[in-house]
Amino acid sequence: MARRPKAEIALDRELTDLPPELRWREWMGRVEAVIFAAPAPVPRDVLAQVVGRDCALDLVIADIREELRGRPYDLVAVAGGWHHRTRSAFAPAIRTVSGVPQPTAGLSSTEILFLSGIAYLQPITRGELGKVFGKEMSRDTVAALKRAGVIAPGPRSPEPGAPYTYVTTEKFLSVFGLASLRDLPDIEKLEDAGLLTKDNLLAAEIPIGIEGEEDEEASQDALDEPNAANGLEF
């Protein structure tokens, strides 16, 4: 006769038998452990399952981040959750030993150009993107961005033929270290980085993704601006 597995012991979330300081330290440890073990950003509702009902998760995260100050990694808010990310200053060292490329290295300059248009103007159709940039967005470009997981079909457009629109995905947010689309660099920041000017926009000549160390570095800095950390996932 097969033995029944032992019932799992329910997690004590409230920890009322501990003094306040030790209770807080335990909650901090649980939250960091869950985030550390997760392969993707962990949303707030998941973290809430390992702490007490009255636990202020934002304060727990703040205390963890304070303890990580000066370390080469941090907890960052990305794609609707929290994730461990190495700080951007250490990205060259990691790439040297691992061969992991820049987040945008798998995409061509044309693909990055159209991805930027989708990010800022979504939901948007291929035809509309063509009008913005003065060049057609090919189906191969759409396929490459879909394979990369950074765009997905959006709602159909109300224009004749009801073409699909395109939107960015949670992976897009994760790759570029954004908590939400509200964290996209604003036009002023892109102008300061030399990536976008109103004249460029009117001329459909937005120089995002141009090859070369200086341009690539400026592009990455602008995309990294919302957070101090940069993931190497692409």
Side-chain angles (χ1 to χ4, degrees):
M1 184 175 178
R3 298 178 59 184
R4 297 177 60 185
K6 293 183 179 179
E8 293 186 6
I9 300 175
L11 180 68
D12 180 4
R13 295 169 53 188
E14 304 301 330
L15 301 173
T16 54
D17 59 325
L18 295 180
E21 183 176 350
L22 292 181
R23 182 186 310 137
W24 190 257
R25 296 298 306 181
E26 176 66 17
W27 284 340
M28 286 176 59
R30 290 179 181 183
V31 168
E32 186 172 7
V34 169
I35 296 172
F36 182 83
V42 183
R44 175 183 295 271
D45 59 341
V46 172
L47 296 176
Q49 296 176 30
V50 299
V51 298
R53 287 169 294 181
D54 297 329
C55 176
L57 274 172
D58 289 337
L59 295 181
V60 168
I61 293 290
D63 282 354
I64 294 172
R65 296 191 68 190
E66 180 62 29
E67 290 195 347
L68 294 178
R69 189 183 296 275
R71 304 297 298 167
Y73 50 86
D74 191 9
L75 291 186
V76 295
V78 290
W82 290 92
H83 204 203
H84 273 97
R85 290 290 176 91
T86 54
R87 299 184 190 275
S88 57
F90 296 94
I94 295 172
R95 289 196 300 272
T96 297
V97 299
S98 68
V100 177
Q102 287 274 14
T104 58
L107 297 176
S108 69
S109 59
T110 296
E111 289 158 358
I112 290 294
L113 177 71
F114 283 111
L115 177 59
S116 68
I118 294 171
Y120 280 93
L121 304 174
Q122 61 186 301
I124 187 168
T125 66
R126 287 174 58 224
E128 290 169 335
L129 284 165
K131 292 177 183 178
V132 170
F133 294 118
K135 57 193 288 188
E136 180 184 4
M137 181 183 187
S138 70
R139 296 186 185 279
D140 287 343
T141 297
V142 173
L145 295 175
K146 283 184 176 179
R147 283 196 303 272
V150 291
I151 69 166
R156 287 186 178 273
S157 170
E159 67 183 76
Y164 278 109
T165 60
Y166 293 97
V167 297
T168 54
T169 63
E170 284 196 0
K171 183 171 181 180
F172 168 82
L173 297 176
S174 181
V175 165
F176 290 105
L178 305 173
S180 72
L181 292 173
R182 291 189 296 273
D183 293 327
L184 281 168
D186 57 31
I187 290 179
E188 286 75 15
K189 288 179 181 177
L190 292 177
E191 288 177 340
D192 291 342
L195 300 175
L196 176 65
T197 67
K198 292 178 181 178
D199 290 340
N200 289 145
L201 182 59
L202 292 174
E205 295 176 353
I206 301 177
I208 296 178
I210 296 176
E211 295 181 359
E213 286 188 4
E214 293 183 1
D215 290 321
E216 181 177 284
E217 192 172 302
S219 175
Q220 192 59 51
D221 287 346
L223 287 169
D224 285 343
E225 181 69 24
N227 290 299
N230 175 37
L232 300 172
E233 297 186 16
F234 221 57

